[in-house]
């Protein structure tokens, strides 16, 4: 059950303040009865009309997906490529929080909760994301040091909070590097390595905030628990 004014605002027709005005003005009905009390609570089973028009009460949904390669992090694509929302069995209009490149795999959250999406994407809230990057040519100590110190991209520093070489294959001249950052610029990991002259051959996001992929296979997803959603909400800095 949610407060009526919150549900009206969440349907997208107006702000919560405006919804309160509409309720007090007697322009809102619940299950056929005019309601003009701001303490009223409703659920998705109730029929809410504003000026005799039904509003869409959507249940909030939260999914953690292990994104496969070859999917666009979007709800539709002009070039008709596969999009990640195709992988989730729901009728709700969910969308990804942030994006992973077409060829990047790993953890991504999808939801229809715009408030949570804004909290998690706002740079002020510094949500950490961890990536595993397979890179061409082994890193030198100097390059590793540069990466740890932070690299300027388009004039703005990107300073990883952690960098760790997980595997060092001198024979193939390939490194597997774990990098944790708290920003969300497009292609940021590939651009970080490009700045020190390394191409990323494979990229996987293994962690988002406190969430991990656990045993989800590529293309599989699970629902987030109420506790997990509450914990994600707590990332909001007041
Ligand atoms: N950084 C990238 O370069 N690509 C992604 O998909 C995510 C982060």
């Amino acid at each position: 059950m949610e407060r009526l004014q919150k549900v009206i605002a969440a349907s997208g027709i107006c702000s919560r303040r405006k919804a309160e005005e509409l309720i007090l003005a007697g322009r809102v009905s619940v299950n056929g009865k005019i309601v003009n009390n701001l303490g009223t609570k409703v659920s998705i089973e109730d029929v809410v009309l504003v000026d005799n028009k039904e509003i869409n009460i959507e249940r909030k949904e939260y999914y953690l997906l292990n994104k496969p390669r070859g999917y666009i992090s979007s709800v539709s694509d002009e070039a008709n490529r596969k999009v990640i929302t195709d992988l989730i069995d729901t009728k709700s209009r969910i969308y990804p929080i942030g994006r992973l490149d077409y060829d990047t795999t790993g953890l991504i959250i999808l939801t229809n909760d715009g408030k949570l999406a804004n909290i998690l994407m706002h740079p002020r809230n510094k949500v950490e994301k961890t990536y595993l990057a397979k890179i061409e040519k082994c890193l030198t100590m100097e390059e590793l040091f540069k990466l740890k110190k932070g690299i300027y991209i388009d004039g703005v520093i990107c300073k990883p909070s952690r960098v760790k070489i997980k595997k060092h294959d001198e024979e193939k001249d390939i490194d597997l590097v774990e990098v944790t950052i708290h920003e969300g610029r497009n292609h940021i990991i590939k651009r970080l390595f490009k700045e020190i002259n390394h191409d990323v051959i494979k990229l996987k996001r293994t962690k988002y905030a406190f969430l991990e992929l656990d045993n989800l296979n590529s293309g599989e997803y699970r629902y987030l628990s109420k506790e997990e959603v509450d914990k994600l909400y707590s990332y909001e800095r007041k």
Side-chain angles (χ1 to χ4, degrees), residues 90-130:
T90 179
K91 290 198 168 61
S92 297
R93 285 167 301 158
I94 57 164
Y95 45 85
I97 298 185
R99 67 172 66 184
L100 292 177
D101 294 337
Y102 188 67
D103 57 351
T104 300
T105 62
L107 201 163
I108 190 157
I109 297 171
L110 297 106
T111 185
N112 55 354
D113 183 346
K115 184 165 180 211
L116 183 65
N118 286 338
I119 290 172
L120 296 178
M121 286 197 292
H122 200 294
R124 180 184 62 208
N125 296 324
K126 295 196 159 48
V127 176
E128 284 198 334
K129 298 118 192 161
T130 299

mmCIF file of all heavy atoms in Angstrom, residues 90-130:
data_model
loop_
_atom_site.group_PDB
_atom_site.id
_atom_site.type_symbol
_atom_site.label_atom_id
_atom_site.label_comp_id
_atom_site.label_asym_id
_atom_site.label_seq_id
_atom_site.Cartn_x
_atom_site.Cartn_y
_atom_site.Cartn_z
ATOM 1 N N THR A 90 8.553 -9.687 -18.582
ATOM 2 C CA THR A 90 7.657 -8.771 -17.865
ATOM 3 C C THR A 90 6.893 -7.928 -18.860
ATOM 4 O O THR A 90 7.360 -7.718 -19.983
ATOM 5 C CB THR A 90 8.432 -7.833 -16.908
ATOM 6 O OG1 THR A 90 7.496 -6.974 -16.263
ATOM 7 C CG2 THR A 90 9.458 -6.985 -17.630
ATOM 8 N N LYS A 91 5.739 -7.440 -18.421
ATOM 9 C CA LYS A 91 4.963 -6.529 -19.287
ATOM 10 C C LYS A 91 5.239 -5.075 -18.890
ATOM 11 O O LYS A 91 4.823 -4.151 -19.572
ATOM 12 C CB LYS A 91 3.471 -6.834 -19.145
ATOM 13 C CG LYS A 91 3.084 -8.165 -19.776
ATOM 14 C CD LYS A 91 1.575 -8.233 -20.012
ATOM 15 C CE LYS A 91 1.198 -9.399 -20.888
ATOM 16 N NZ LYS A 91 1.565 -10.700 -20.307
ATOM 17 N N SER A 92 5.927 -4.874 -17.758
ATOM 18 C CA SER A 92 6.200 -3.511 -17.296
ATOM 19 C C SER A 92 7.256 -2.853 -18.176
ATOM 20 O O SER A 92 8.092 -3.536 -18.762
ATOM 21 C CB SER A 92 6.704 -3.536 -15.858
ATOM 22 O OG SER A 92 5.695 -4.042 -15.039
ATOM 23 N N ARG A 93 7.210 -1.511 -18.186
ATOM 24 C CA ARG A 93 8.173 -0.776 -19.024
ATOM 25 C C ARG A 93 9.473 -0.558 -18.249
ATOM 26 O O ARG A 93 9.725 0.528 -17.738
ATOM 27 C CB ARG A 93 7.554 0.558 -19.458
ATOM 28 C CG ARG A 93 6.501 0.374 -20.548
ATOM 29 C CD ARG A 93 5.697 1.613 -20.727
ATOM 30 N NE ARG A 93 5.023 1.966 -19.485
ATOM 31 C CZ ARG A 93 4.589 3.179 -19.185
ATOM 32 N NH1 ARG A 93 4.782 4.167 -20.009
ATOM 33 N NH2 ARG A 93 3.969 3.409 -18.039
ATOM 34 N N ILE A 94 10.244 -1.621 -18.154
ATOM 35 C CA ILE A 94 11.507 -1.519 -17.423
ATOM 36 C C ILE A 94 12.616 -1.031 -18.363
ATOM 37 O O ILE A 94 12.490 -1.144 -19.586
ATOM 38 C CB ILE A 94 11.910 -2.871 -16.794
ATOM 39 C CG1 ILE A 94 12.007 -3.955 -17.877
ATOM 40 C CG2 ILE A 94 10.972 -3.288 -15.694
ATOM 41 C CD1 ILE A 94 12.742 -5.188 -17.425
ATOM 42 N N TYR A 95 13.663 -0.487 -17.758
ATOM 43 C CA TYR A 95 14.819 -0.025 -18.546
ATOM 44 C C TYR A 95 16.084 -0.228 -17.705
ATOM 45 O O TYR A 95 16.012 -0.375 -16.476
ATOM 46 C CB TYR A 95 14.652 1.470 -18.930
ATOM 47 C CG TYR A 95 14.178 2.302 -17.778
ATOM 48 C CD1 TYR A 95 15.063 2.823 -16.850
ATOM 49 C CD2 TYR A 95 12.807 2.526 -17.589
ATOM 50 C CE1 TYR A 95 14.618 3.559 -15.773
ATOM 51 C CE2 TYR A 95 12.350 3.262 -16.501
ATOM 52 C CZ TYR A 95 13.260 3.770 -15.594
ATOM 53 O OH TYR A 95 12.816 4.481 -14.517
ATOM 54 N N PRO A 96 17.244 -0.272 -18.370
ATOM 55 C CA PRO A 96 18.477 -0.506 -17.621
ATOM 56 C C PRO A 96 18.933 0.734 -16.871
ATOM 57 O O PRO A 96 18.735 1.859 -17.345
ATOM 58 C CB PRO A 96 19.492 -0.868 -18.707
ATOM 59 C CG PRO A 96 18.939 -0.308 -19.968
ATOM 60 C CD PRO A 96 17.461 -0.244 -19.834
ATOM 61 N N ILE A 97 19.547 0.531 -15.708
ATOM 62 C CA ILE A 97 20.168 1.640 -14.973
ATOM 63 C C ILE A 97 21.592 1.748 -15.498
ATOM 64 O O ILE A 97 22.425 0.872 -15.254
ATOM 65 C CB ILE A 97 20.151 1.385 -13.453
ATOM 66 C CG1 ILE A 97 18.694 1.276 -12.968
ATOM 67 C CG2 ILE A 97 20.899 2.498 -12.714
ATOM 68 C CD1 ILE A 97 18.525 1.153 -11.468
ATOM 69 N N GLY A 98 21.849 2.789 -16.255
ATOM 70 C CA GLY A 98 23.156 2.946 -16.899
ATOM 71 C C GLY A 98 23.239 1.989 -18.083
ATOM 72 O O GLY A 98 22.230 1.416 -18.508
ATOM 73 N N ARG A 99 24.449 1.858 -18.624
ATOM 74 C CA ARG A 99 24.555 0.968 -19.787
ATOM 75 C C ARG A 99 25.871 0.205 -19.806
ATOM 76 O O ARG A 99 26.866 0.628 -19.219
ATOM 77 C CB ARG A 99 24.401 1.749 -21.078
ATOM 78 C CG ARG A 99 25.531 2.718 -21.335
ATOM 79 C CD ARG A 99 25.427 3.306 -22.699
ATOM 80 N NE ARG A 99 24.244 4.148 -22.802
ATOM 81 C CZ ARG A 99 23.869 4.738 -23.924
ATOM 82 N NH1 ARG A 99 24.527 4.546 -25.028
ATOM 83 N NH2 ARG A 99 22.828 5.531 -23.937
ATOM 84 N N LEU A 100 25.808 -0.934 -20.463
ATOM 85 C CA LEU A 100 27.025 -1.682 -20.778
ATOM 86 C C LEU A 100 27.101 -1.719 -22.294
ATOM 87 O O LEU A 100 26.060 -1.807 -22.967
ATOM 88 C CB LEU A 100 26.949 -3.109 -20.217
ATOM 89 C CG LEU A 100 26.980 -3.249 -18.689
ATOM 90 C CD1 LEU A 100 26.820 -4.708 -18.282
ATOM 91 C CD2 LEU A 100 28.291 -2.702 -18.111
ATOM 92 N N ASP A 101 28.313 -1.667 -22.851
ATOM 93 C CA ASP A 101 28.468 -1.691 -24.304
ATOM 94 C C ASP A 101 27.911 -2.997 -24.886
ATOM 95 O O ASP A 101 27.788 -4.002 -24.187
ATOM 96 C CB ASP A 101 29.954 -1.600 -24.686
ATOM 97 C CG ASP A 101 30.551 -0.259 -24.291
ATOM 98 O OD1 ASP A 101 29.785 0.703 -24.143
ATOM 99 O OD2 ASP A 101 31.787 -0.206 -24.133
ATOM 100 N N TYR A 102 27.660 -2.954 -26.187
ATOM 101 C CA TYR A 102 27.157 -4.118 -26.937
ATOM 102 C C TYR A 102 27.984 -5.370 -26.657
ATOM 103 O O TYR A 102 27.459 -6.453 -26.454
ATOM 104 C CB TYR A 102 27.235 -3.737 -28.421
ATOM 105 C CG TYR A 102 26.597 -4.690 -29.380
ATOM 106 C CD1 TYR A 102 25.220 -4.866 -29.398
ATOM 107 C CD2 TYR A 102 27.387 -5.392 -30.303
ATOM 108 C CE1 TYR A 102 24.634 -5.728 -30.320
ATOM 109 C CE2 TYR A 102 26.803 -6.253 -31.218
ATOM 110 C CZ TYR A 102 25.424 -6.417 -31.223
ATOM 111 O OH TYR A 102 24.844 -7.269 -32.111
ATOM 112 N N ASP A 103 29.317 -5.188 -26.614
ATOM 113 C CA ASP A 103 30.188 -6.364 -26.437
ATOM 114 C C ASP A 103 30.616 -6.569 -24.974
ATOM 115 O O ASP A 103 31.432 -7.441 -24.687
ATOM 116 C CB ASP A 103 31.429 -6.245 -27.341
ATOM 117 C CG ASP A 103 32.224 -4.974 -27.070
ATOM 118 O OD1 ASP A 103 31.728 -4.104 -26.322
ATOM 119 O OD2 ASP A 103 33.338 -4.845 -27.600
ATOM 120 N N THR A 104 30.091 -5.776 -24.051
ATOM 121 C CA THR A 104 30.413 -5.966 -22.625
ATOM 122 C C THR A 104 29.386 -6.910 -22.013
ATOM 123 O O THR A 104 28.205 -6.848 -22.351
ATOM 124 C CB THR A 104 30.389 -4.612 -21.880
ATOM 125 O OG1 THR A 104 31.349 -3.741 -22.474
ATOM 126 C CG2 THR A 104 30.720 -4.775 -20.404
ATOM 127 N N THR A 105 29.866 -7.761 -21.104
ATOM 128 C CA THR A 105 28.961 -8.695 -20.433
ATOM 129 C C THR A 105 28.857 -8.310 -18.960
ATOM 130 O O THR A 105 29.590 -7.449 -18.477
ATOM 131 C CB THR A 105 29.499 -10.139 -20.534
ATOM 132 O OG1 THR A 105 30.763 -10.186 -19.861
ATOM 133 C CG2 THR A 105 29.676 -10.589 -21.972
ATOM 134 N N GLY A 106 27.948 -8.978 -18.261
ATOM 135 C CA GLY A 106 27.924 -8.854 -16.806
ATOM 136 C C GLY A 106 26.732 -8.163 -16.198
ATOM 137 O O GLY A 106 25.672 -8.053 -16.814
ATOM 138 N N LEU A 107 26.983 -7.678 -14.993
ATOM 139 C CA LEU A 107 25.880 -7.249 -14.117
ATOM 140 C C LEU A 107 25.247 -5.915 -14.514
ATOM 141 O O LEU A 107 25.922 -4.900 -14.605
ATOM 142 C CB LEU A 107 26.438 -7.154 -12.694
ATOM 143 C CG LEU A 107 25.481 -7.202 -11.527
ATOM 144 C CD1 LEU A 107 26.239 -7.501 -10.247
ATOM 145 C CD2 LEU A 107 24.614 -6.020 -11.380
ATOM 146 N N ILE A 108 23.937 -5.963 -14.711
ATOM 147 C CA ILE A 108 23.196 -4.728 -14.975
ATOM 148 C C ILE A 108 21.825 -4.841 -14.312
ATOM 149 O O ILE A 108 21.243 -5.926 -14.272
ATOM 150 C CB ILE A 108 23.115 -4.417 -16.498
ATOM 151 C CG1 ILE A 108 22.554 -3.011 -16.731
ATOM 152 C CG2 ILE A 108 22.328 -5.456 -17.268
ATOM 153 C CD1 ILE A 108 22.944 -2.413 -18.074
ATOM 154 N N ILE A 109 21.364 -3.710 -13.762
ATOM 155 C CA ILE A 109 20.060 -3.703 -13.090
ATOM 156 C C ILE A 109 19.037 -3.082 -14.022
ATOM 157 O O ILE A 109 19.325 -2.100 -14.706
ATOM 158 C CB ILE A 109 20.142 -2.893 -11.776
ATOM 159 C CG1 ILE A 109 21.128 -3.577 -10.838
ATOM 160 C CG2 ILE A 109 18.784 -2.789 -11.097
ATOM 161 C CD1 ILE A 109 21.455 -2.762 -9.622
ATOM 162 N N LEU A 110 17.854 -3.659 -14.034
ATOM 163 C CA LEU A 110 16.751 -3.094 -14.820
ATOM 164 C C LEU A 110 15.578 -2.846 -13.876
ATOM 165 O O LEU A 110 15.339 -3.642 -12.964
ATOM 166 C CB LEU A 110 16.320 -4.039 -15.938
ATOM 167 C CG LEU A 110 17.400 -4.306 -16.972
ATOM 168 C CD1 LEU A 110 17.973 -5.684 -16.793
ATOM 169 C CD2 LEU A 110 16.849 -4.163 -18.377
ATOM 170 N N THR A 111 14.859 -1.765 -14.126
ATOM 171 C CA THR A 111 13.746 -1.407 -13.241
ATOM 172 C C THR A 111 12.788 -0.471 -13.953
ATOM 173 O O THR A 111 13.101 0.037 -15.028
ATOM 174 C CB THR A 111 14.283 -0.721 -11.961
ATOM 175 O OG1 THR A 111 13.204 -0.494 -11.062
ATOM 176 C CG2 THR A 111 14.943 0.604 -12.260
ATOM 177 N N ASN A 112 11.628 -0.246 -13.327
ATOM 178 C CA ASN A 112 10.738 0.830 -13.781
ATOM 179 C C ASN A 112 10.650 1.896 -12.688
ATOM 180 O O ASN A 112 9.731 2.691 -12.673
ATOM 181 C CB ASN A 112 9.342 0.289 -14.132
ATOM 182 C CG ASN A 112 8.731 -0.483 -12.983
ATOM 183 O OD1 ASN A 112 9.370 -0.715 -11.960
ATOM 184 N ND2 ASN A 112 7.497 -0.906 -13.136
ATOM 185 N N ASP A 113 11.613 1.875 -11.766
ATOM 186 C CA ASP A 113 11.635 2.823 -10.655
ATOM 187 C C ASP A 113 12.616 3.959 -10.981
ATOM 188 O O ASP A 113 13.826 3.843 -10.773
ATOM 189 C CB ASP A 113 12.071 2.073 -9.382
ATOM 190 C CG ASP A 113 12.061 2.965 -8.150
ATOM 191 O OD1 ASP A 113 11.977 4.200 -8.310
ATOM 192 O OD2 ASP A 113 12.151 2.433 -7.037
ATOM 193 N N GLY A 114 12.058 5.033 -11.526
ATOM 194 C CA GLY A 114 12.891 6.158 -11.968
ATOM 195 C C GLY A 114 13.646 6.822 -10.830
ATOM 196 O O GLY A 114 14.751 7.316 -11.019
ATOM 197 N N LYS A 115 13.037 6.798 -9.645
ATOM 198 C CA LYS A 115 13.696 7.460 -8.514
ATOM 199 C C LYS A 115 14.983 6.713 -8.153
ATOM 200 O O LYS A 115 16.039 7.324 -7.974
ATOM 201 C CB LYS A 115 12.723 7.495 -7.324
ATOM 202 C CG LYS A 115 13.287 8.245 -6.167
ATOM 203 C CD LYS A 115 12.249 8.598 -5.136
ATOM 204 C CE LYS A 115 12.931 9.352 -4.011
ATOM 205 N NZ LYS A 115 12.284 9.124 -2.739
ATOM 206 N N LEU A 116 14.883 5.390 -8.102
ATOM 207 C CA LEU A 116 16.085 4.608 -7.775
ATOM 208 C C LEU A 116 17.138 4.765 -8.887
ATOM 209 O O LEU A 116 18.332 4.915 -8.605
ATOM 210 C CB LEU A 116 15.748 3.123 -7.571
ATOM 211 C CG LEU A 116 16.951 2.282 -7.154
ATOM 212 C CD1 LEU A 116 17.458 2.697 -5.777
ATOM 213 C CD2 LEU A 116 16.633 0.799 -7.163
ATOM 214 N N ALA A 117 16.680 4.754 -10.136
ATOM 215 C CA ALA A 117 17.620 4.906 -11.258
ATOM 216 C C ALA A 117 18.390 6.228 -11.119
ATOM 217 O O ALA A 117 19.620 6.260 -11.281
ATOM 218 C CB ALA A 117 16.868 4.850 -12.579
ATOM 219 N N ASN A 118 17.683 7.300 -10.781
ATOM 220 C CA ASN A 118 18.356 8.601 -10.615
ATOM 221 C C ASN A 118 19.363 8.577 -9.487
ATOM 222 O O ASN A 118 20.461 9.116 -9.610
ATOM 223 C CB ASN A 118 17.329 9.710 -10.345
ATOM 224 C CG ASN A 118 16.572 10.050 -11.601
ATOM 225 O OD1 ASN A 118 17.054 9.794 -12.709
ATOM 226 N ND2 ASN A 118 15.381 10.578 -11.453
ATOM 227 N N ILE A 119 18.997 7.935 -8.384
ATOM 228 C CA ILE A 119 19.913 7.875 -7.232
ATOM 229 C C ILE A 119 21.193 7.144 -7.642
ATOM 230 O O ILE A 119 22.304 7.601 -7.406
ATOM 231 C CB ILE A 119 19.249 7.147 -6.038
ATOM 232 C CG1 ILE A 119 18.124 8.009 -5.465
ATOM 233 C CG2 ILE A 119 20.282 6.793 -4.957
ATOM 234 C CD1 ILE A 119 17.277 7.322 -4.402
ATOM 235 N N LEU A 120 21.029 5.996 -8.295
ATOM 236 C CA LEU A 120 22.204 5.171 -8.597
ATOM 237 C C LEU A 120 23.089 5.782 -9.683
ATOM 238 O O LEU A 120 24.292 5.545 -9.713
ATOM 239 C CB LEU A 120 21.775 3.751 -8.977
ATOM 240 C CG LEU A 120 21.068 2.983 -7.850
ATOM 241 C CD1 LEU A 120 20.642 1.610 -8.326
ATOM 242 C CD2 LEU A 120 21.974 2.847 -6.623
ATOM 243 N N MET A 121 22.473 6.591 -10.554
ATOM 244 C CA MET A 121 23.283 7.160 -11.653
ATOM 245 C C MET A 121 23.875 8.523 -11.297
ATOM 246 O O MET A 121 24.741 9.005 -12.015
ATOM 247 C CB MET A 121 22.440 7.250 -12.918
ATOM 248 C CG MET A 121 22.224 5.874 -13.528
ATOM 249 S SD MET A 121 21.689 5.923 -15.216
ATOM 250 C CE MET A 121 20.085 6.602 -15.071
ATOM 251 N N HIS A 122 23.415 9.123 -10.196
ATOM 252 C CA HIS A 122 23.923 10.463 -9.884
ATOM 253 C C HIS A 122 25.375 10.379 -9.388
ATOM 254 O O HIS A 122 25.661 9.662 -8.436
ATOM 255 C CB HIS A 122 23.051 11.132 -8.815
ATOM 256 C CG HIS A 122 23.233 12.614 -8.828
ATOM 257 N ND1 HIS A 122 24.424 13.223 -8.481
ATOM 258 C CD2 HIS A 122 22.407 13.600 -9.198
ATOM 259 C CE1 HIS A 122 24.303 14.523 -8.624
ATOM 260 N NE2 HIS A 122 23.091 14.782 -9.060
ATOM 261 N N PRO A 123 26.304 11.122 -10.025
ATOM 262 C CA PRO A 123 27.724 11.042 -9.642
ATOM 263 C C PRO A 123 27.965 11.322 -8.155
ATOM 264 O O PRO A 123 28.861 10.742 -7.546
ATOM 265 C CB PRO A 123 28.396 12.112 -10.495
ATOM 266 C CG PRO A 123 27.426 12.492 -11.543
ATOM 267 C CD PRO A 123 26.049 12.086 -11.091
ATOM 268 N N ARG A 124 27.116 12.184 -7.563
ATOM 269 C CA ARG A 124 27.272 12.529 -6.151
ATOM 270 C C ARG A 124 27.191 11.288 -5.248
ATOM 271 O O ARG A 124 27.816 11.218 -4.198
ATOM 272 C CB ARG A 124 26.132 13.501 -5.801
ATOM 273 C CG ARG A 124 26.111 13.971 -4.383
ATOM 274 C CD ARG A 124 24.899 14.854 -4.118
ATOM 275 N NE ARG A 124 23.654 14.136 -4.326
ATOM 276 C CZ ARG A 124 22.520 14.709 -4.697
ATOM 277 N NH1 ARG A 124 22.478 15.992 -4.944
ATOM 278 N NH2 ARG A 124 21.418 14.001 -4.843
ATOM 279 N N ASN A 125 26.434 10.288 -5.667
ATOM 280 C CA ASN A 125 26.222 9.120 -4.804
ATOM 281 C C ASN A 125 27.324 8.059 -4.918
ATOM 282 O O ASN A 125 27.319 7.075 -4.176
ATOM 283 C CB ASN A 125 24.834 8.532 -5.053
ATOM 284 C CG ASN A 125 23.756 9.521 -4.665
ATOM 285 O OD1 ASN A 125 23.922 10.253 -3.688
ATOM 286 N ND2 ASN A 125 22.690 9.587 -5.443
ATOM 287 N N LYS A 126 28.250 8.274 -5.851
ATOM 288 C CA LYS A 126 29.473 7.466 -5.946
ATOM 289 C C LYS A 126 29.250 5.956 -5.816
ATOM 290 O O LYS A 126 29.869 5.292 -4.975
ATOM 291 C CB LYS A 126 30.478 7.922 -4.887
ATOM 292 C CG LYS A 126 30.992 9.333 -5.083
ATOM 293 C CD LYS A 126 32.245 9.561 -4.261
ATOM 294 C CE LYS A 126 33.106 10.681 -4.715
ATOM 295 N NZ LYS A 126 32.608 11.938 -5.007
ATOM 296 N N VAL A 127 28.359 5.435 -6.634
ATOM 297 C CA VAL A 127 28.101 3.988 -6.606
ATOM 298 C C VAL A 127 29.264 3.269 -7.308
ATOM 299 O O VAL A 127 29.603 3.599 -8.445
ATOM 300 C CB VAL A 127 26.764 3.663 -7.313
ATOM 301 C CG1 VAL A 127 26.534 2.160 -7.372
ATOM 302 C CG2 VAL A 127 25.616 4.361 -6.601
ATOM 303 N N GLU A 128 29.858 2.314 -6.618
ATOM 304 C CA GLU A 128 31.034 1.626 -7.191
ATOM 305 C C GLU A 128 30.624 0.516 -8.151
ATOM 306 O O GLU A 128 29.661 -0.207 -7.910
ATOM 307 C CB GLU A 128 31.871 1.010 -6.072
ATOM 308 C CG GLU A 128 32.678 2.046 -5.328
ATOM 309 C CD GLU A 128 33.816 1.436 -4.538
ATOM 310 O OE1 GLU A 128 33.729 0.260 -4.155
ATOM 311 O OE2 GLU A 128 34.798 2.165 -4.297
ATOM 312 N N LYS A 129 31.390 0.404 -9.241
ATOM 313 C CA LYS A 129 31.196 -0.675 -10.203
ATOM 314 C C LYS A 129 32.545 -1.345 -10.415
ATOM 315 O O LYS A 129 33.552 -0.643 -10.588
ATOM 316 C CB LYS A 129 30.706 -0.143 -11.558
ATOM 317 C CG LYS A 129 29.377 0.561 -11.517
ATOM 318 C CD LYS A 129 29.543 1.978 -11.926
ATOM 319 C CE LYS A 129 28.302 2.782 -11.611
ATOM 320 N NZ LYS A 129 28.566 4.205 -11.570
ATOM 321 N N THR A 130 32.555 -2.659 -10.420
ATOM 322 C CA THR A 130 33.816 -3.373 -10.620
ATOM 323 C C THR A 130 33.779 -4.121 -11.952
ATOM 324 O O THR A 130 32.790 -4.790 -12.276
ATOM 325 C CB THR A 130 34.061 -4.352 -9.453
ATOM 326 O OG1 THR A 130 34.132 -3.586 -8.260
ATOM 327 C CG2 THR A 130 35.354 -5.133 -9.624
#
